[in-house]
Amino acid sequence: MKRPIVWRAMLLFAGVAPVAIAQHTGRPLKLLLDRQSNVDQVAILKHLGQKCPNITLTTNVEQSDYMLSAWGWSGNYRFMISAKNGEKIFATETVYLSNAVKDVCNFLNRQPRQHSHTQH
């Protein structure tokens, strides 16, 4: 009776593992936190590490891929993503900080990857 459960678990893991590995390969996305944001950057970084380790915060404007504006407090979080050209491209409003970070992660992971200027 336990054998079918084990096989299902193995099949599920086999199907999910390549997707998880694919998300973590390549250069991580770098978010510049807007200076006017009032959400704790340590808390944002903690949730980024849990929800999408392929995205991190940076203080380097030139090396950032997007800017994250994060406002709010417990029970009312508002996050907005801006492209390098200043265009506002995504916004979310949630009750929980973890959900706001998850929404940002889902949006950014659906975006086509742009080629970065790397030094060889």
Side-chain angles (χ1 to χ4, degrees), residues 50-102:
Q50 293 171 347
K51 303 289 183 188
C52 48
N54 62 316
I55 300 175
T56 189
L57 295 179
T58 184
T59 57
N60 188 322
V61 175
E62 288 79 28
Q63 291 191 4
S64 66
D65 298 300
Y66 299 96
M67 183 169 71
L68 171 65
S69 301
W71 303 287
W73 52 87
S74 183
N76 183 21
Y77 291 99
R78 294 174 292 144
F79 281 25
M80 183 171 59
I81 297 292
S82 301
K84 282 277 222 182
N85 62 7
E87 184 178 341
K88 311 306 186 214
I89 57 174
F90 176 78
T92 185
E93 186 172 358
T94 67
V95 173
Y96 298 107
L97 175 59
S98 61
N99 287 342
V101 172
K102 179 186 67 161

